[in-house]
């Protein structure tokens, strides 16, 4: 093999190694983005579930206030007092909040920096409010 052919083959091998490295880096970056999007979707799903529970609590309180519920309410588990229904809904909301807190902790474990605890967006070190959702940020 002549020198030119050998040099060309070596350059091709080097280019292939660089391309392989770039593909691995891109795959790692895509994996991180995928994990971030997946965590964001999970947070959104949990927040929607929690808002539905809050809505149910408000509905029960309104029905009590208007006198449409007095003694018992029919639920999937059978008749319950309005207070029992509200207590069960509050317990459900707290369980969902614990899931939200755990999901936020998982999100932040994999990302250095400071993030909004409400929406998960990255915020500046000196920010007091999240620019994305307006939530007051936890103190440093």
């Amino acid at each position: 093999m002549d020198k030119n052919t050998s040099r060309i083959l070596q350059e091709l091998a080097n280019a292939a190694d660089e391309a392989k490295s770039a593909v691995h880096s891109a795959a790692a970056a895509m994996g991180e983005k995928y994990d971030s999007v997946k965590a964001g979707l999970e947070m959104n799903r949990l927040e929607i579930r929690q808002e539905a529970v809050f809505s149910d609590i408000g509905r029960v309180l309104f029905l009590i206030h208007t006198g449409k519920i007095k003694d018992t309410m029919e639920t999937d588990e059978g008749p319950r007092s309005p207070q029992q229904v509200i207590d069960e809904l509050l317990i459900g909301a707290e369980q969902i909040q614990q899931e939200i807190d755990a999901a936020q902790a998982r999100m932040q474990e994999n990302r250095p920096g400071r993030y909004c605890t409400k929406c998960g967006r990255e915020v500046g070190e000196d920010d007091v409010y999240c620019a994305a959702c307006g939530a007051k940020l936890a103190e440093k």
Side-chain angles (χ1 to χ4, degrees), residues 19-81:
K20 183 178 177 181
S21 177
V23 166
H24 286 295
S25 295
M30 288 299 294
E32 289 173 12
K33 288 290 183 189
Y34 172 79
D35 290 342
S36 176
V37 168
K38 185 177 171 184
L41 289 172
E42 175 67 8
M43 287 289 299
N44 189 34
R45 184 187 67 78
L46 289 168
E47 288 170 352
I48 289 170
R49 275 182 49 210
Q50 190 177 51
E51 286 300 319
V53 172
F54 292 154
S55 178
D56 290 344
I57 292 168
R59 188 175 301 107
V60 171
L61 290 171
F62 175 78
L63 292 172
I64 291 169
H65 176 74
T66 59
K68 295 188 182 194
I69 297 176
K70 295 198 185 290
D71 297 328
T72 62
M73 295 177 63
E74 196 57 43
T75 67
D76 293 340
E77 293 81 26
R80 298 271 195 267
S81 74

Side-chain angles (χ1 to χ4, degrees), residues 40-139:
L41 289 172
E42 175 67 8
M43 287 289 299
N44 189 34
R45 184 187 67 78
L46 289 168
E47 288 170 352
I48 289 170
R49 275 182 49 210
Q50 190 177 51
E51 286 300 319
V53 172
F54 292 154
S55 178
D56 290 344
I57 292 168
R59 188 175 301 107
V60 171
L61 290 171
F62 175 78
L63 292 172
I64 291 169
H65 176 74
T66 59
K68 295 188 182 194
I69 297 176
K70 295 198 185 290
D71 297 328
T72 62
M73 295 177 63
E74 196 57 43
T75 67
D76 293 340
E77 293 81 26
R80 298 271 195 267
S81 74
Q83 186 61 52
Q84 286 174 314
V85 172
I86 291 172
D87 289 346
E88 289 169 5
L89 289 169
L90 288 171
I91 289 169
E94 178 58 31
Q95 289 170 342
I96 294 169
Q97 185 62 51
Q98 290 172 358
E99 291 179 52
I100 289 171
D101 293 345
Q104 287 175 335
R106 284 191 305 275
M107 283 174 58
Q108 292 179 4
E109 282 175 4
N110 298 324
R111 303 184 306 177
R114 187 167 177 234
Y115 297 88
C116 174
T117 57
K118 174 73 175 150
C119 70
R121 297 265 178 104
E122 188 168 7
V123 295
E125 287 299 318
D126 296 328
D127 291 351
V128 176
Y129 294 94
C130 176
C133 72
K136 184 164 176 60
L137 301 171
E139 293 185 23

